[in-house]
Amino acid sequence: MGGCAGSRRRLSDSEGEETVPEPRLPLLDHQGAHWKNAVGFWLLGLCNNFSYVVMLSAAHDILSHERTSGNQSHVDPGPAPIPHNSSSRFDCNSVSTAAVLLADILPTLVIKLLAPLGLHLLPYSPRVLVSGICAAGSFILVAFSHSVGTSLCGVVLASISSGLGEVTFLSLTAFYPSYFLLLTSPEAQDPGGEEEAESSSRQPLIRTEAPELKPGSSSSLSLQERWTVFKGLLWYIVPLVVVYFAEYFINQGLFELLFFRNTSLSHAQQYRWYQMLYQAGVFASRSSLRCCHIRFTWALALLQCLNLAFLLADVWFGFLPSIYFVFLIILYEGLLGGAAYVNTFHNIALETSDEHREFAMAATCISDTLGISLSGLLALPLHDFLCQLS
């Protein structure tokens, strides 16, 4: 591309026409702008997932304890919480933590289902503002609630914030091709795309209006074109649905039942450690795209299903002797989930055309939410069935 541009300039010179070269950013400034965009998106993703993750990590506490006067926390101040179901070896709550999962994911599912149809017509800044307000409101409502029902309303606000933010920020990456090039090894970058990447690096990350769309971009795609693009995305959507179904069936269906009495950790503390280790694995793998790029995400889906089968067998038979084995498996589970997510969107970003990329990003982000919703629906009856076992 650069060679073609140079040939055109030499041809113009030979014809006696004087051309004034456009000013170009120095190489260091060019790379610096790319890194600023990458760090900006990293921070946006971190902040966007914060409320969603906190609510899921606190699910056991939200369902276990209602606020009493003088207790300023959902966490029981007593050193030894009383089991809710002492007749069961699982020490179950009356309601599965999958209830919190559904409150934290169903609003997101609705947003993501509607997003490809018209959300692109709304500028980016109002979307970010609404997302931030909902996130703040979720923490305030849960912190000052006196009942589980009020807390679940706060969880719903967290879901709206996370769902709207995810669709917004993933769609926004379509206008920053240099962001995806930066996440891969330097050798994978196309020198011919330098001018396009340089142009995109000059754009502010968040604008007061939606970025200018190119002719034929997602705002002008017909329903037939959208359906054609969506069918082509199924190769990526289906494995991501499977990955998230398996891992959230583990997280909200089995974590509460993986209860070890031969440890100093209380049941609530064990649940929080499970959630923390899972999120640590997700965080590490979602930030590792520059080091490891996985093309076939079906392999990750298969491995995650094996994790689900193994931990479900342990819940039923109880053959693992120590909680530390579960810790390692959960960390591995998080690594698989994060790798599946980031590699799916990275592959789509590199393989879709410019005019389809924004729609493809918004459409594919339904995958994780659909898998999580299905796992929550199945985890509720599983919880009731297992907790009835003596």
Side-chain angles (χ1 to χ4, degrees), residues 151-285:
S151 296
L152 290 179
C153 291
V155 174
V156 168
L157 284 180
S159 177
I160 295 172
S161 167
S162 177
L164 182 61
E166 184 178 7
V167 173
T168 297
F169 299 139
L170 282 174
S171 298
L172 192 59
T173 59
F175 301 94
Y176 294 84
S178 58
Y179 167 67
F180 292 100
L181 292 175
L182 183 64
L183 292 180
T184 55
S185 59
E187 292 78 6
Q189 299 188 28
D190 178 12
E194 184 177 345
E195 291 182 5
E196 180 184 6
E198 184 175 296
S199 173
S200 67
S201 70
R202 293 194 185 106
Q203 302 179 45
L205 191 55
I206 300 297
R207 303 173 57 167
T208 55
E209 297 178 352
E212 249 182 59
L213 297 174
K214 301 176 183 179
S217 59
S218 65
S219 62
S220 59
L221 292 178
S222 66
L223 288 178
Q224 180 62 37
E225 288 175 309
R226 290 169 185 262
W227 175 243
T228 301
V229 173
F230 181 79
K231 287 191 295 184
L233 294 172
L234 290 177
W235 174 257
Y236 299 107
I237 289 176
V238 174
L240 196 58
V241 169
V242 173
V243 167
Y244 272 82
F245 170 81
E247 70 185 65
Y248 274 85
F249 194 91
I250 294 171
N251 293 2
Q252 306 306 129
L254 303 184
F255 275 6
E256 186 182 6
L257 306 177
L258 290 166
F259 176 45
F260 289 81
R261 299 181 186 273
N262 60 345
T263 176
S264 60
L265 298 174
S266 69
H267 193 178
Q269 289 172 331
Q270 291 179 39
Y271 182 86
R272 293 184 214 120
W273 270 104
Y274 292 156
Q275 291 285 356
M276 189 280 293
L277 289 169
Y278 164 75
Q279 296 298 341
V282 171
F283 179 82
S285 57

Side-chain angles (χ1 to χ4, degrees), residues 87-145:
S87 65
S88 170
R89 64 186 176 94
F90 297 117
D91 184 23
C92 301
N93 282 316
S94 58
V95 180
S96 168
T97 53
V100 176
L101 174 66
L102 291 175
D104 207 11
I105 202 63
L106 289 181
T108 296
L109 178 63
V110 173
I111 290 173
K112 290 183 176 182
L113 285 172
L114 298 178
L117 301 179
L119 189 62
H120 60 276
L121 300 175
L122 183 67
Y124 283 96
S125 289
R127 299 193 227 170
V128 176
L129 179 62
V130 171
S131 178
I133 291 174
C134 289
S138 70
F139 286 115
I140 294 172
L141 198 57
V142 172
F144 292 98
S145 70

